[in-house]
Amino acid sequence: MVSDILNLIYQFIIGPLVLLFEFVFSVSYNAVANPGICIIILSIVMNLLALPLYRRADTVQKKEAEKMKKVAPWQERIRKTFKGDERFMMLNAYNREAGVKPSDALKGSVSLLLEIPFFIAAYRMLSSLALLNGKTFGPIKDLGAPDGLLVIGSLAINILPVLMTAINLVSSSIYLKGSDIKGKIQLYGIAAIFLVLLYNSPSGLVFYWTCNNIFSLIKNLIPFGRLPRLRLKSAKVTGVEKKVFILSGIYMSALLGMVIPSNVVKASTAEFVNMYNMINPSVYFLWSVALSAGVFVLWFGVFYSLSTDLGKHILAVVSLSLALLFTTDYFLFGREYGIMNSALYYHYADMSPDQYITVGIAVILTVVVISVALRRYVWKYVPYILVAALLSISVLGMMNIAKINKRYGELTYVENELDYATLTLSRTEKNVVVIMLDRAQGFLLPYCFSERPELEEKFDGFTFYENTVSFGRCTNIGAPALFGGYDYTPSASNARDDLSLMEKHNEALKLMPFLFDDNGFDVTVCDPSYANYKYIPDLSIYDEHPDIATYVTIGRYNEFEDDIYNEEASSWKRNFFCYSLFRVMPPFLHQLFYDGGQYNVPDFYHDHMFTPICSMTGDKSKGYVAAVLRSYSALSNITGMTQISDSSEGGFVMFVSNLAHDPGILKEPEYEPMFYVDNVEYDAAHKDRFDGLDMEGYWPLGTYQVNMASYILLGEWFDYLREEGVYDNTRIIIVADHGCELGVLPGSRNGDVTSENFNPVLLVKDFDSHGFTVSDEFMTNTDTPSLAMAGLIDDPVNPFTGNPINSDPKYDLPLLIFNSYSFDTEFNNGNTYEPGPWYEMNGDVFAIDEWEYAGEW
């Protein structure tokens, strides 16, 4: 608790400066890619930004020194004349009359007080910046280590700290000309302290401070009196200016620190919760508020307090203008960039600034004009407007947090879902296994099996149905029909509008487990997609049948799970504010602040293990994909989960794997997750494996690789089943809920619909079947329940609708396919699906030109 409070204080005071250091360094590095030059740019920018502060601080210090010099003789006379309590009372009386306060002691050290947080921020960033390691600059061989420029025998002497101190002493001697001994001791002492502190520090940090000292020397060589000054008369600062400035800062702190982050988390709370490290995500808003308040209240306030009256007038208007601009950009002109994950990273984000520059500049100018008009005509009412605005967004933020807390509270069921899975199969009786590979592409399977011919042997007995269609292009629309049959196609589900989509979805997930359980099978269910419309499946939907074993396996076997959580938590503490800053900027600045999802962290790919960077061609990668690790570890442990028994009850297993869902560059030819991946040689040697398809790039190649990894891991499990003697007596169905648009299949698009989205994999192995065959028979993934029950459950009937379970409806052509991408169950959760485009198809998923548009409803 104490450490958290101290860390929040650090976030409030030092965090804004660290963020500014990182932003300047990152932007300059993206521009010049030379860390030495970036350090020089960083020093120049930071010194120019701080120059008004230091100039004003020096003025305050000089005035204070003159005042103390004036009163010192009288104070000394009182000390000599009086003793004890009388001396104390006389000194107090004189100090009150002379306007001397105890707090004036701080005024004499304003520059030092300013320098401390800047030093801490610079030390925090540059002393641990891995980007500097091994980088040379001029005579410096390694910016990430002490310079060691002078070597005498075996002794390496660091010259840069000595040079830094020498420049500091020269600068101080110029600055202190005519000062008393107390001031000289203070500055010379600081120079000595810096020498000791930085002597063994990385040369990049020392070089930065040396640049600062050079800047300070130049500043001291040019006295303030010689600098041109703009002398403008200004009215005295009133309470209105102070109120406008302070309220604007608090308003921006609330908007960027609480409202915008809470809007993000509210949209999909479960994505910001790690089920193995349960923490309410609202906690992270403390950090974003601290950072935001540090920027807009503390450091804006430092500039304000050290400004002249004219500067305070200007800063009040600027602060108000920023508050108006941020509000306008976020609520009125905010752009949406599609799907964003919990790392605050957009899957697709075209942020090209060109088309928005004119509009953005026009908005900025309009906001400035409005602010000036408010200043001139209704200034005294502006504080009331700001109070009303602050109350409004505070209420909005608190409502968001209340919803987040409610949704987090609803996740308590997760505490009962932490067991390791056991999949029970019988040696003596017939078993049925249904494996849903979320988003596995049907048309990619032949390429996988061609590259790895041994997979045909491992998949002995399987038939691959290449002409398979799904009725939806996302899980909440495509999965219900897969699990529940034709009563749960999108059109059939919409027809039953007396029930909610969640109720119908749950029915579909329960249909096969309930029927197999009622017919004497030992039933196991793992990771049922969106059970109870929850991102983390709510296994309580199976409580009606307590003998059904239910598990969540995704992430349960992942050795990196704690590391993923720690990285996510650390990132949210910083990046919720950075995301807010990006969202309130004019659109032409979005690219600058979003920075490809890195939010200007200079050491992003050193600090982040689980956000990979990939080459344009997809043959090199650094970093793990967290979602791939979670699903890969589960599927790779399926053998360990499996329990073979001699029970008289056959086993039914319904297992969902997300491994094929999220693309990831894996190590070839093993197709395993690795932190560093270099597939250049392998890809060059196998450049013909895709038979003309353009599979270059992260998305298509990463999708192919996770599909391949899924088949390799399943093939290993099938070998185990053969060894245990339960392969031939087990019917296995491998099926996907939908496909995925890769843009690589020729002739697969017709307007806004592509067959790539609707071609899920379907592999079926029946009892005692052998050989691997490919069929062009028209199938749908909705045939899964009838395929699973065939010959085992006589005339199966849907227990929820009373309709027979069979594949007859697919012959009633044309079939209605729903091309909606409204995948979020937080919003698409009424009694019918949100309206979207429908198409009619006549039994050939790849004959996309024959699909007929059937309207939007």
Side-chain angles (χ1 to χ4, degrees):
M1 181 66 179
V2 174
S3 64
D4 287 338
I5 293 174
L6 292 175
N7 287 332
L8 281 170
I9 294 172
Y10 175 90
Q11 182 92 332
F12 175 65
I13 300 173
I14 308 298
L17 297 179
V18 174
L19 204 64
L20 181 58
F21 273 76
E22 291 177 338
F23 177 80
V24 173
F25 190 94
S26 177
V27 171
S28 59
Y29 190 79
N30 289 337
V32 301
N34 185 310
I37 294 176
C38 291
I39 290 173
I40 296 173
I41 294 172
L42 179 66
S43 176
I44 293 172
V45 171
M46 298 306 295
N47 276 283
L48 287 175
L49 287 174
L51 182 60
L53 289 180
Y54 283 116
R55 288 185 64 178
R56 185 61 180 163
D58 288 344
T59 301
V60 170
Q61 286 182 196
K62 287 183 177 180
K63 286 183 179 179
E64 183 60 26
E66 290 172 2
K67 183 170 74 172
M68 295 307 295
K69 189 175 182 180
K70 183 178 179 180
V71 302
W74 287 98
Q75 289 175 335
E76 185 63 24
R77 183 177 297 180
I78 291 171
R79 289 189 185 97
K80 289 180 179 180
T81 307
F82 302 97
K83 295 181 179 180
D85 291 341
E86 191 177 8
R87 176 197 290 173
F88 177 77
M89 293 175 62
M90 292 298 293
L91 276 173
N92 279 347
Y94 175 73
N95 287 340
R96 279 198 304 271
E97 185 179 341
V100 177
K101 302 175 184 177
S103 60
D104 289 345
L106 294 176
K107 292 182 180 179
S109 304
V110 175
S111 294
L112 176 61
L113 293 175
L114 285 174
E115 196 161 357
I116 290 172
F118 276 89
F119 172 75
I120 294 173
Y123 191 89
R124 164 71 176 79
M125 193 195 90
L126 291 171
S127 65
S128 59
L129 190 62
L131 192 64
L132 302 180
N133 294 340
K135 300 296 176 62
T136 61
F137 187 70
I140 304 172
K141 295 180 180 179
D142 186 352
L143 288 168
D147 62 87
L149 288 174
L150 179 61
V151 179
I152 303 175
S154 60
L155 178 64
I157 299 175
N158 300 325
I159 297 299
L160 209 52
V162 177
L163 178 63
M164 173 197 75
T165 305
I167 296 172
N168 195 1
L169 291 173
V170 172
S171 177
S172 298
S173 65
I174 296 172
Y175 176 76
L176 293 169
K177 188 178 293 184
S179 298
D180 58 17
I181 190 66
K182 180 181 176 183
K184 292 180 179 179
I185 291 174
Q186 184 186 68
L187 281 186
Y188 291 152
I190 292 172
I193 291 172
F194 270 67
L195 174 63
V196 173
L197 287 177
L198 298 180
Y199 183 77
N200 286 315
S201 294
S203 54
L205 173 62
V206 183
F207 180 55
Y208 167 78
W209 219 257
T210 303
C211 292
N212 281 2
N213 289 345
I214 292 172
F215 189 92
S216 179
L217 176 61
I218 295 171
K219 182 185 70 173
N220 291 333
L221 288 172
I222 306 175
F224 290 160
R226 298 181 189 175
L227 291 174
R229 293 194 179 192
L230 182 64
R231 300 185 181 277
L232 297 174
K233 292 183 179 180
S234 66
K236 186 177 181 181
V237 175
T238 65
V240 176
E241 268 77 22
K242 294 178 183 177
K243 290 176 183 177
V244 169
F245 178 80
I246 293 171
L247 287 170
S248 296
I250 297 173
Y251 173 86
M252 289 185 285
S253 300
L255 177 63
L256 277 75
M258 179 176 63
V259 175
I260 298 176
S262 63
N263 271 339
V264 173
V265 177
K266 179 192 70 173
S268 186
T269 303
E271 288 193 62
F272 294 88
V273 175
N274 185 304
M275 67 179 291
Y276 305 107
N277 296 275
M278 293 288 288
I279 290 182
N280 189 327
S282 296
V283 168
Y284 300 107
F285 303 153
L286 293 173
W287 300 87
S288 56
V289 167
L291 193 52
S292 189
V295 172
F296 299 114
V297 177
L298 174 63
W299 284 103
F300 273 35
V302 169
F303 274 88
Y304 183 86
S305 62
L306 291 175
S307 293
T308 61
D309 285 350
L310 175 61
K312 289 176 179 177
H313 283 290
I314 293 172
L315 284 175
V317 175
V318 168
S319 191
L320 176 62
S321 298
L322 286 175
L324 287 172
L325 179 66
F326 290 172
T327 304
T328 303
D329 283 331
Y330 182 68
F331 289 105
L332 299 180
F333 295 101
R335 290 188 63 198
E336 293 301 328
Y337 294 105
I339 304 170
M340 184 178 72
N341 61 23
S342 61
L344 308 179
Y345 178 84
Y346 289 100
H347 291 292
Y348 303 101
D350 179 13
M351 298 185 185
S352 177
D354 299 343
Q355 56 183 318
Y356 297 102
I357 291 178
T358 303
V359 174
I361 292 175
V363 170
I364 292 172
L365 292 175
T366 302
V367 165
V368 171
V369 169
I370 292 172
S371 298
V372 172
L374 289 172
R375 171 69 182 82
R376 183 165 185 176
Y377 298 110
V378 290
W379 194 234
K380 64 181 180 179
Y381 299 111
V382 171
Y384 301 103
I385 298 172
L386 285 169
V387 168
L390 179 59
L391 289 174
S392 298
I393 65 165
S394 297
V395 169
L396 178 60
M398 296 308 295
M399 289 173 61
N400 287 345
I401 291 173
K403 289 179 181 177
I404 291 167
N405 292 340
K406 178 176 180 293
R407 289 170 181 173
Y408 176 76
E410 293 170 352
L411 292 173
T412 53
Y413 66 86
V414 170
E415 297 173 358
N416 301 318
E417 300 181 355
L418 302 179
D419 293 336
Y420 288 95
T422 299
L423 315 180
T424 304
L425 298 175
S426 172
R427 275 194 182 89
T428 58
E429 301 299 322
K430 291 182 176 179
N431 307 297
V432 177
V433 175
V434 175
I435 297 175
M436 188 189 101
L437 288 181
D438 197 329
R439 204 160 78 176
Q441 292 280 41
F443 77 88
L444 287 181
L445 184 137
Y447 298 98
C448 294
F449 279 50
S450 175
E451 181 182 340
R452 299 289 289 263
E454 69 273 17
L455 287 175
E456 288 196 8
E457 295 181 13
K458 294 180 180 293
F459 281 70
D460 180 43
F462 276 90
T463 296
F464 167 52
Y465 293 94
E466 59 182 358
N467 185 23
T468 299
V469 71
S470 61
F471 286 86
R473 58 180 291 193
C474 43
T475 300
N476 61 316
I477 298 173
L482 181 157
F483 291 115
Y486 287 89
D487 284 340
Y488 301 96
T489 63
S491 57
S493 186
N494 277 354
R496 298 172 60 208
D497 57 6
D498 56 324
L499 296 177
S500 69
L501 289 173
M502 182 188 73
E503 291 174 297
K504 289 174 280 194
H505 188 93
N506 288 345
E507 285 182 5
L509 292 175
K510 294 187 288 187
L511 185 140
M512 285 192 288
F514 279 17
L515 286 175
F516 275 99
D517 186 43
D518 290 338
N519 282 270
F521 284 76
D522 194 335
V523 178
T524 306
V525 178
C526 296
D527 306 283
S529 304
Y530 289 131
N532 229 13
Y533 261 24
K534 302 294 184 185
Y535 181 78
I536 302 173
D538 182 356
L539 303 180
S540 68
I541 67 170
Y542 297 101
D543 286 352
E544 300 168 58
H545 285 232
D547 50 338
I548 293 178
T550 56
Y551 304 98
V552 172
T553 68
I554 296 173
R556 192 70 187 93
Y557 300 86
N558 181 21
E559 62 179 322
F560 294 104
E561 198 61 34
D562 287 342
D563 296 320
I564 292 172
Y565 161 73
N566 290 330
E567 182 175 299
E568 287 176 337
S570 176
S571 175
W572 291 332
K573 288 176 181 178
R574 175 191 186 273
N575 285 351
F576 272 139
F577 171 75
C578 295
Y579 172 82
S580 299
L581 199 59
F582 141 67
R583 290 310 306 259
V584 299
M585 287 294 159
F588 70 89
L589 292 176
H590 281 187
Q591 191 176 66
L592 179 67
F593 284 86
Y594 178 66
D595 187 35
Q598 298 177 29
Y599 297 98
N600 293 293
V601 177
D603 254 353
F604 187 86
Y605 289 108
H606 179 268
D607 297 339
H608 292 71
M609 287 179 61
F610 305 103
T611 306
I613 181 173
C614 178
S615 64
M616 291 295 293
T617 54
D619 51 12
K620 286 186 178 181
S621 178
K622 176 185 176 183
Y624 296 108
V625 179
V628 171
L629 282 178
R630 287 168 170 151
S631 297
Y632 186 94
S633 60
L635 197 56
S636 64
N637 276 278
I638 193 170
T639 297
M641 302 177 203
T642 306
Q643 177 177 291
I644 310 298
S645 74
D646 295 320
S647 169
S648 59
E649 291 184 345
F652 172 74
V653 174
M654 192 171 86
F655 188 99
V656 175
S657 171
N658 290 340
L659 179 53
H661 187 277
D662 294 280
I665 301 302
L666 307 178
K667 179 68 176 70
E668 297 170 334
E670 298 86 358
Y671 290 93
E672 296 174 348
M674 299 287 286
F675 187 75
Y676 293 102
V677 172
D678 185 348
N679 293 327
V680 174
E681 290 186 11
Y682 185 88
D683 287 349
H686 296 79
K687 60 183 179 181
D688 297 328
R689 59 182 159 164
F690 298 120
D691 194 25
L693 293 187
D694 182 10
M695 295 290 287
E696 277 195 357
Y698 179 81
W699 188 260
L701 193 55
T703 299
Y704 171 81
Q705 291 185 357
V706 292
N707 275 257
M708 175 72 91
S710 302
Y711 301 133
I712 291 173
L713 294 176
L714 287 173
E716 292 173 356
W717 185 51
F718 298 157
D719 285 343
Y720 168 75
L721 297 182
R722 274 186 279 266
E723 292 172 6
E724 294 295 325
V726 293
Y727 187 74
D728 286 338
N729 65 314
T730 301
R731 173 183 289 161
I732 303 174
I733 301 170
I734 301 170
V735 61
D737 50 345
H738 56 90
C740 171
E741 181 177 359
L742 301 181
V744 299
L745 199 61
S748 62
R749 172 167 289 282
N750 178 8
D752 68 344
V753 65
T754 170
S755 56
E756 291 181 348
N757 279 327
F758 299 94
N759 178 222
V761 72
L762 177 59
L763 288 155
V764 181
K765 184 195 81 71
D766 213 341
F767 306 114
D768 297 313
S769 61
H770 295 284
F772 180 82
T773 58
V774 177
S775 172
D776 62 358
E777 178 185 352
F778 174 60
M779 301 289 283
T780 79
N781 59 357
T782 312
D783 294 326
T784 301
S786 58
L787 288 170
M789 300 176 195
L792 299 176
I793 301 176
D794 295 332
D795 301 320
V797 173
N798 186 328
F800 306 105
T801 66
N803 295 327
I805 298 172
N806 55 51
S807 296
D808 293 347
K810 77 177 177 185
Y811 301 110
D812 186 16
L813 300 174
L815 300 180
L816 276 173
I817 308 298
F818 194 28
N819 191 32
S820 167
Y821 197 49
S822 182
F823 63 90
D824 195 339
T825 58
E826 293 278 354
F827 303 100
N828 195 359
N829 58 11
N831 284 18
T832 59
Y833 292 109
E834 290 183 343
W838 294 80
Y839 286 83
E840 294 180 343
M841 63 91 65
N842 285 293
D844 188 345
V845 66
F846 298 110
I848 194 72
D849 290 339
E850 298 176 10
W851 290 30
E852 295 291 336
Y853 178 65
E856 186 159 335
W857 38 277

